Amino acid sequence: ATGENDTAPAVGGAMDLAAGAKRVWVVMEHTTKDGRPKLVEKCTYPLTGLRCIRRVYTNLAVIDVLPEKGFVLRDLAPGVTFEEVQAKSVAKLHTN
């Protein structure tokens, strides 16, 4: 962050945090405000840490990120189906 009260946060120590952490989890909404999927096969933004995410928590599901399998669905929010989560994800989801 910039430390200025009236400015938006800037690039900070995320890379340092990701590099030194044993596990990195992401907590996010599953889709953008206009309904586009956030869970994708390939990132389009610059990355601060490569291959460091182990688990993603969204408002729809809990998803593990495994090097050998990719995205593995671990749990669903109440009333949500696998098909709904897959339809709102660009990335292919696996079970077990």
Side-chain angles (χ1 to χ4, degrees):
T2 62
E4 300 291 328
N5 289 332
D6 59 347
T7 62
V11 175
M15 182 171 42
D16 294 335
L17 293 173
K22 291 182 181 177
R23 285 185 230 141
V24 178
W25 298 338
V26 172
V27 179
M28 66 180 200
E29 293 290 323
H30 203 88
T31 59
T32 63
K33 289 180 184 179
D34 61 357
R36 290 180 292 148
K38 288 184 177 181
L39 196 62
V40 297
E41 291 286 346
K42 185 175 180 179
C43 296
T44 56
Y45 290 113
L47 300 176
T48 56
L50 295 173
R51 296 178 184 86
C52 62
I53 304 302
R54 300 289 178 105
R55 181 168 282 175
V56 179
Y57 293 89
T58 77
N59 54 313
L60 301 178
V62 177
I63 301 161
D64 284 344
V65 183
L66 304 176
E68 66 279 0
K69 287 184 106 175
F71 296 105
V72 179
L73 184 70
R74 291 294 175 212
D75 201 6
L76 294 166
V80 176
T81 66
F82 173 84
E83 292 78 18
E84 180 182 355
V85 176
Q86 183 61 78
K88 293 181 178 183
S89 305
V90 171
K92 174 151 178 54
L93 300 176
H94 302 277
T95 57
N96 296 333

